[in-house]
Amino acid sequence: MEQTQDLSEDRLANAWAELHALSTDTTPLRPDANRLAFADPEFLLRRETRGIRIQLEMLKPEIDQQAQGIENTIVVFGSARFPAPEQAEAALKLAQEGDDEAALTLAQRHVRNAQYYDQARLFARIVAGYSNPRPAHEQLFICTGGGPGIMEAANRGAQEMGALTVGLNIVLPHEQGSNPYISPSLNFKFHYFALRKMHFMMRAKALVAFPGGFGTLDELFEVITLVQTKKAKPVPIILFGTEYWKRLFNFDIMIEEGAISPQDLDLIQYVDEPQAAWDAIKNFYEL
């Protein structure tokens, strides 16, 4: 009688070993018809296989998060350029010792904006402190874009409380890599913005947007549009930093011109304290 194959044994014809060898080889990668298709980077990176890459980018974070019990997330957006207070203070001290006026102005701005780093960190600590003792299906996990600045602060706060924390990073030419506070098994990297934004929304039970730039605005308005058009279920959409957001947007003009309905503004709310952001989420879900 034939022995049953052990599923843990190698059944992929050493495809992984072949792929690893290719990744460490310094010679240019050349097409090879004899290479297994799924172990052939040259083939997988062709224009014709884009659909396969999109599917893989959809599946990998989905499967891994399911396996680790990540069902509900609080998504935190914000600037990658706002440093931690200790970094901002150190940079200011150096600038004050020099004679570069532009460097001093930049350092002073970083010190001013570092308050948002602290507040994002504290908010994440509050979320994790609530979530940690809850049953698995009630837990809420901090999810960010995985980069520095506000994203780092939120991942950091959750990690400090011993919670798993998710990072959905994107490959960009001039951006830094993932911040060190993401749980390694939940540190995902994307090529396609569309797939990344889809993963933000798939598990999001709330969005907290701290001051940020174009990337933050892109992600914020994606969520607002999905909820407004009822393509996504209503979730709390919280703008942290009232002064910043109200200086940036005059939504009343959109109402005056009939571009949006007055009730559309009910989709968002402004807060200025980490506890207020958490209270808004708790009230929404009656936690």
Side-chain angles (χ1 to χ4, degrees):
M1 182 174 180
E2 293 185 6
Q3 190 174 14
T4 303
Q5 175 105 23
D6 186 344
L7 292 178
S8 66
E9 291 179 2
D10 183 4
R11 302 179 62 190
L12 299 179
N14 295 317
W16 173 248
E18 181 180 357
L19 183 57
H20 179 71
L22 289 169
S23 69
T24 57
D25 192 348
T26 57
T27 59
L29 184 64
R30 301 182 183 280
D32 185 348
N34 191 243
R35 192 177 294 140
L36 288 168
F38 57 82
D40 187 346
E42 191 278 333
F43 171 71
L44 288 176
L45 292 174
R46 292 176 60 158
R47 180 177 181 179
E48 295 88 342
T49 56
R50 180 179 295 161
I52 298 171
R53 296 196 301 276
I54 289 173
Q55 186 175 8
L56 290 173
E57 200 153 281
M58 177 69 191
L59 283 173
K60 181 181 177 181
E62 170 71 7
I63 292 170
D64 285 356
Q65 288 183 85
Q66 281 185 353
Q68 295 174 73
I70 309 297
E71 297 182 13
N72 307 304
T73 61
I74 304 294
V75 176
V76 178
F77 293 143
S79 177
R81 304 184 184 191
F82 291 178
E86 59 271 21
Q87 295 172 329
E89 291 291 346
L92 178 61
K93 184 178 179 180
L94 284 175
Q96 288 172 334
E97 293 171 353
D99 57 0
D100 187 335
E101 198 64 32
L104 179 60
T105 299
L106 177 62
Q108 291 170 335
R109 187 173 69 210
H110 280 329
V111 169
R112 183 175 71 248
N113 287 331
Q115 62 167 318
Y116 292 117
Y117 184 106
D118 261 349
Q119 290 166 332
R121 182 178 174 185
L122 178 55
F123 170 74
R125 290 178 64 91
I126 293 172
V127 173
Y130 165 86
S131 181
N132 284 345
R134 313 298 297 182
H137 68 280
E138 294 181 10
Q139 289 184 331
L140 295 161
F141 299 93
I142 293 294
C143 175
T144 79
I150 296 300
M151 297 171 281
E152 175 186 295
N155 289 130
R156 181 178 180 179
Q159 190 225 50
E160 289 168 341
M161 296 296 289
L164 291 174
T165 175
V166 184
L168 306 181
N169 217 319
I170 186 79
V171 177
L172 295 174
H174 305 297
E175 290 288 332
Q176 297 182 39
S178 301
N179 72 67
Y181 301 104
I182 305 165
S183 299
S185 60
L186 294 167
N187 187 3
F188 303 104
K189 186 173 289 185
F190 290 81
H191 175 75
Y192 298 103
F193 270 109
L195 270 295
R196 180 179 182 243
K197 287 193 283 189
M198 184 178 294
H199 272 287
F200 276 131
M201 283 302 296
M202 285 173 64
R203 291 172 171 78
K205 293 300 181 284
L207 164 69
V208 182
F210 284 76
F214 289 155
T216 301
L217 301 186
D218 175 47
E219 292 151 348
L220 169 63
F221 279 99
E222 175 91 4
V223 177
I224 292 175
T225 302
L226 288 171
V227 174
Q228 182 207 39
T229 58
K230 296 180 169 51
K231 284 287 189 178
K233 292 181 180 180
V235 297
I237 302 172
I238 299 165
L239 302 185
F240 196 107
T242 303
E243 182 184 4
Y244 179 89
W245 292 111
K246 290 201 171 181
R247 284 171 58 207
L248 186 60
F249 298 130
N250 186 348
F251 288 119
D252 291 337
I253 292 176
M254 301 173 75
I255 294 174
E256 291 169 9
E257 297 300 328
I260 62 173
S261 301
Q263 58 266 31
D264 286 336
L265 292 189
D266 295 337
L267 298 176
I268 60 177
Q269 49 192 309
Y270 299 89
V271 302
D272 294 293
E273 297 292 337
Q275 186 62 50
W278 175 236
D279 289 343
I281 296 169
K282 284 202 306 180
N283 293 338
F284 186 90
Y285 291 107
E286 299 182 347
L287 299 177

